[in-house]
Amino acid sequence: MIGAGVVLADLERLTPEEMEHLFFGVLSDPDAAEEVRLPSRPESAKVARRLVLSVLRTWKLHQLLEAGELLTGELVANAVRHAGGRMIGLKVTRRPGWLRVEVRDSSRALPCLIRAPEVGYQNGHGLRLVESLADRWGADLLPRGKGVWFEIRIRERAAAIAAAAL
């Protein structure tokens, strides 16, 4: 896990741009399979979105930029708002035909998709957005918390054509 030598107090002093610079190399390495640890604060959603955008550009997955950014922001915002921990983890992985983004937090309370939030109710829309844009999503209990993830199908032929055009 990246950031083990970096304490929370150090991370909290970093700007979003400094965090992006610190963690980009780890997430963009498809063989690393590591997560980055971000402070559980609203600003981390911006950092996570930018990191995922950078990774998708590096992997030549331009067709997934908008959905990847939006869904990552939703998962991080939910973790910050509902988990109550001091840190969240972000992990981006790719396997044949799929992109997966996972946000981990210290809470073992699984998310609940609210099918029809009450009129005027401000919460409950984020997971509905994830449900509608992701090909798959879910949550897994972990030894210390949970991971909430989404997956988007990669149309390999389209990705190969886009990569060849560069």
Side-chain angles (χ1 to χ4, degrees), residues 58-131:
T58 299
W59 291 351
K60 310 273 191 269
L61 296 175
H62 301 283
Q63 72 276 21
L64 304 182
L65 290 173
E66 188 176 335
E69 177 186 23
L70 183 62
L71 298 179
T72 299
E74 289 297 331
L75 293 189
V76 172
N78 281 348
V80 169
R81 185 178 306 117
H82 301 295
R86 297 184 66 204
M87 300 288 282
I88 58 171
L90 174 66
K91 186 174 183 179
V92 183
T93 53
R94 179 180 181 178
R95 63 180 201 281
W98 293 95
L99 169 78
R100 180 181 177 118
V101 176
E102 182 174 0
V103 175
R104 297 175 177 191
D105 62 57
S106 61
S107 171
R108 293 191 43 91
L110 295 176
C112 168
L113 180 64
I114 300 171
R115 290 284 177 200
E118 297 175 21
V119 175
Y121 189 66
Q122 297 299 315
N123 295 323
H125 300 286
L127 285 180
R128 288 186 25 220
L129 188 62
V130 173
E131 169 90 359

Side-chain angles (χ1 to χ4, degrees), residues 143-162:
R144 292 190 174 131
K146 70 175 172 299
V148 181
W149 51 268
F150 68 84
E151 292 182 337
I152 301 174
R153 184 176 301 279
I154 300 171
R155 308 220 186 318
E156 294 294 343
R157 182 175 167 94
I161 290 169

Side-chain angles (χ1 to χ4, degrees), residues 26-78:
V26 173
L27 284 181
S28 64
D29 180 357
D31 297 322
E34 293 188 42
E35 73 175 27
V36 298
R37 307 280 291 162
L38 301 170
S40 183
R41 61 182 190 194
E43 299 83 22
S44 290
K46 176 182 177 183
V47 173
R49 287 192 308 267
R50 289 177 56 155
L51 285 168
V52 168
L53 284 173
S54 294
V55 169
L56 293 176
R57 285 185 188 110
T58 299
W59 291 351
K60 310 273 191 269
L61 296 175
H62 301 283
Q63 72 276 21
L64 304 182
L65 290 173
E66 188 176 335
E69 177 186 23
L70 183 62
L71 298 179
T72 299
E74 289 297 331
L75 293 189
V76 172
N78 281 348

